[in-house]
Amino acid sequence: MTETSPIRTAEDAARYIRERDIPYVKVGVFDTDGIMRGKYMARDKFLSALEKGFGFCDVVLGWDSNDQLYDNVTLTGWHTAYPDAEVRVVPESMRTIPFEENVPLFLAEFAGAHEAACPRGTLRRVLDRAASHGYGVMSAVEFEFFVFDETPHSVREKKYKNLTNITPGFYGYSMLRSSVHAEFYQELLDTARLMDFEIEGLHTETGPGVLEAAIRVDSALAAADKAALFKTYTKILAQRRGWMATFMAKWSKDWPGQSGHIHCSLTKDGKGVFHDASKPHGISDTMRWWIGGQQALLPELLAMVACTVNSYTRLIPGFWAPTDATWGIENRTCALRAIPGSEKSQRVEFRIAAADINPYIALAAAIGAGLWGIENRIEPDAPVVGNSYAKKHPAKRQLPRTLWDSAQRLKASKAARSLFGDTFVDHYAATREWEEREFRRAITDWEMERYFEII
């Protein structure tokens, strides 16, 4: 939905298209890695898709971010001959794209046999579980991202070395930097507002060409849509300007990683349930159990949040990213930060997440773990006071150190299978194993520099 086109149903969408005699629309679905895959669709075909759904080659769930085919999944592959998957259009997701003469954009999600592995569908099922307990979930995501004065051609020609950031130096919260590049900031803010992923705050972070954006809070499924669209269209706007934006967890050993922090709270009958003024720090029993579930399951669900090999380069002490499943009150050295406030504002920040997340899958993990904690009344450890990096934590709180290890923990997790289903867990874990295997095939610069001559 946009400010000018309040679409709620397939009938609304069809009427909108017909009344404006729109010849084409864009339809997109987010894959396992959070990459938007889609196409232009002629009006008549789209109107039929609104009513009956449409077919989309299921290779979208059978390949990686580099379009290389998985050889270890059962959902799709050469053994199934890559048939079309059923896909349904989400009418209420419609936006118009301001720099494409307001062509409508609709999100879609996999249906039928492929729904169980669909990222958006997985989050929706978790939210249905919350609703069965009477809970609504409010969420917001904030991203850090580096911007470079480079193009897709130049980064390849340079082999991703000696890249030029749009600005040098540190300059966190710099009015100087944001004013010099005001046109880009304004275009991003305006596009986000017009396409319904409104940015609540946008500023420079500490580092060369790094920005941070906080996306406005919404119900969790809408928040995931907004976060996924934000990443996609930030990259689009940068490239249209001759720049590039990266959402890697960590692009350089010389700079801190890029976060993708997730904020969540629960409501019941329209009122927040995390706040209880009679309890220490105003933390209600429900919020405490939510934290307990997230803390307990974080080592098992980490692959759903730290989803790339690169994610684990960020999870080292002293770089604003946690290394254990810890929590604290307003403590940014912990994986989970309880943020006291009013009945409306009190929430938990899931600080383990980096900018490389698939928002649907990461939110499913964060919310699913919290719900599991409430359902089982899981008590968290005592909150960490002071620097969590400097303290020794129980072995059960240690996070897996590699993507491969995280995938093994996910596969073995009974809680994950209960929350997300066997099909999702098996398929997703296999894709993360593939990702680690692809990395192991590479010969890194570090290896060449260290071993070529001397070993």
Side-chain angles (χ1 to χ4, degrees):
M1 183 187 73
T2 67
E3 294 174 334
T4 56
S5 56
I7 304 300
R8 291 281 185 267
T9 66
E11 291 76 16
D12 291 339
R15 186 182 311 111
Y16 182 95
I17 301 300
R18 288 194 178 102
E19 287 177 351
R20 290 159 179 79
D21 196 27
I22 294 171
Y24 292 95
V25 303
K26 295 184 88 169
V27 180
V29 60
F30 285 93
D31 72 9
T32 305
D33 287 295
I35 297 167
M36 195 176 194
R37 311 279 187 170
K39 57 186 175 182
Y40 290 94
M41 192 177 286
R43 176 176 57 211
D44 290 346
K45 182 174 177 61
F46 175 73
L47 292 175
S48 174
L50 273 174
E51 181 182 350
K52 303 174 184 177
F54 66 98
F56 202 93
C57 181
D58 77 353
V59 74
V60 170
L61 291 174
W63 63 17
D64 65 13
S65 60
N66 195 39
D67 290 9
Q68 300 304 298
L69 300 173
Y70 300 130
D71 64 7
N72 62 337
V73 299
T74 59
L75 181 72
T76 185
W78 292 118
H79 61 287
T80 66
Y82 295 107
D84 277 354
E86 295 178 44
V87 175
R88 59 172 164 262
V89 178
V90 182
E92 64 272 21
S93 70
M94 195 198 92
R95 281 99 167 138
T96 57
I97 305 174
F99 52 84
E100 290 196 44
E101 298 182 347
N102 288 319
V103 63
L105 168 68
F106 288 85
L107 300 183
E109 59 183 27
F110 290 98
H114 294 74
E115 183 170 354
C118 176
R120 193 177 192 274
T122 298
L123 174 57
R124 185 168 38 74
R125 291 193 301 276
V126 170
L127 296 174
D128 288 344
R129 185 172 183 142
S132 72
H133 294 294
Y135 295 126
V137 187
M138 301 299 291
S139 300
V141 184
E142 56 188 45
F143 289 111
E144 295 171 346
F145 56 100
F146 278 81
V147 185
F148 298 84
D149 188 7
E150 303 285 355
T151 70
H153 291 294
S154 72
V155 293
R156 286 164 173 82
E157 290 163 359
K158 291 182 174 183
K159 299 187 184 300
Y160 299 91
K161 296 179 181 178
N162 302 314
L163 303 180
T164 302
N165 303 81
I166 60 167
T167 57
F170 291 86
Y171 291 86
Y173 298 96
S174 172
M175 294 295 280
L176 172 65
R177 294 293 193 231
S178 60
S179 299
V180 169
H181 291 296
E183 292 83 3
F184 175 68
Y185 282 75
Q186 197 61 56
E187 184 179 27
L188 180 56
L189 290 165
D190 288 345
T191 301
R193 176 176 52 82
L194 292 169
M195 292 188 67
D196 193 24
F197 51 90
E198 187 175 1
I199 296 170
E200 193 171 63
L202 178 65
H203 61 88
T204 61
E205 256 294 352
T206 296
V210 60
L211 281 67
E212 179 175 339
I215 304 168
R216 187 176 293 279
V217 66
D218 207 332
S219 57
L221 190 58
D225 289 340
K226 293 179 179 188
L229 286 166
F230 170 82
K231 290 181 66 175
T232 302
Y233 278 89
T234 297
K235 288 182 279 189
I236 289 170
L237 293 178
Q239 290 193 30
R240 285 169 60 87
R241 188 172 288 269
W243 293 350
M244 290 189 76
T246 183
F247 288 82
M248 288 179 65
K250 193 169 186 179
W251 73 275
S252 169
K253 66 180 179 62
D254 299 320
W255 298 102
Q258 299 167 221
S259 68
H261 297 160
I262 297 168
H263 296 253
C264 290
S265 63
L266 285 187
T267 63
K268 182 170 277 191
D269 299 324
K271 294 185 177 181
V273 297
F274 276 0
H275 182 74
D276 184 342
S278 69
K279 302 283 187 178
H281 305 288
I283 294 176
S284 69
D285 291 342
T286 301
M287 181 177 177
R288 192 177 71 253
W289 295 328
W290 172 279
I291 293 169
Q294 289 189 328
Q295 181 178 42
L297 292 188
L298 187 51
E300 298 178 23
L301 306 186
L302 185 63
M304 296 174 65
V305 183
C307 53
T308 71
V309 171
N310 184 248
S311 303
Y312 296 81
T313 65
R314 173 177 166 267
L315 303 180
I316 56 177
F319 279 88
W320 298 100
T323 54
D324 296 275
T326 55
W327 80 284
I329 311 295
E330 282 287 15
N331 191 330
R332 286 183 168 86
T333 67
C334 293
L336 307 169
R337 172 185 167 222
I339 304 175
S342 65
E343 171 257 310
K344 184 178 179 180
S345 67
Q346 188 148 319
R347 62 196 186 277
V348 179
E349 181 185 23
F350 205 70
R351 291 183 57 80
I352 191 71
D356 61 356
I357 57 170
N358 179 328
Y360 298 105
I361 293 175
L363 270 164
I367 296 167
L371 289 174
W372 182 84
I374 293 169
E375 290 169 352
N376 294 281
R377 300 195 171 192
I378 303 297
E379 293 293 341
D381 299 340
V384 173
V385 177
N387 184 2
S388 180
Y389 303 130
K391 300 178 185 298
K392 186 174 178 60
H393 302 289
K396 66 180 179 179
R397 302 303 184 203
Q398 186 176 95
L399 299 175
R401 298 306 192 219
T402 68
L403 182 58
W404 181 272
D405 291 342
S406 290
Q408 307 318 301
R409 294 293 298 273
L410 180 64
K411 284 198 301 186
S413 173
K414 293 180 180 179
R417 293 182 179 278
S418 170
L419 289 165
F420 314 118
D422 289 336
T423 298
F424 174 82
V425 170
D426 290 336
H427 182 76
Y428 184 78
T431 70
R432 298 311 94 186
E433 290 175 339
W434 163 272
E435 191 75 10
E436 178 90 14
R437 283 169 46 206
E438 287 293 280
F439 171 68
R440 294 300 173 193
R441 292 173 55 193
I443 307 300
T444 65
D445 291 343
W446 184 90
E447 291 170 280
M448 293 296 289
E449 293 169 5
R450 190 171 185 89
Y451 302 129
F452 186 86
E453 177 184 8
I454 199 66
I455 205 70

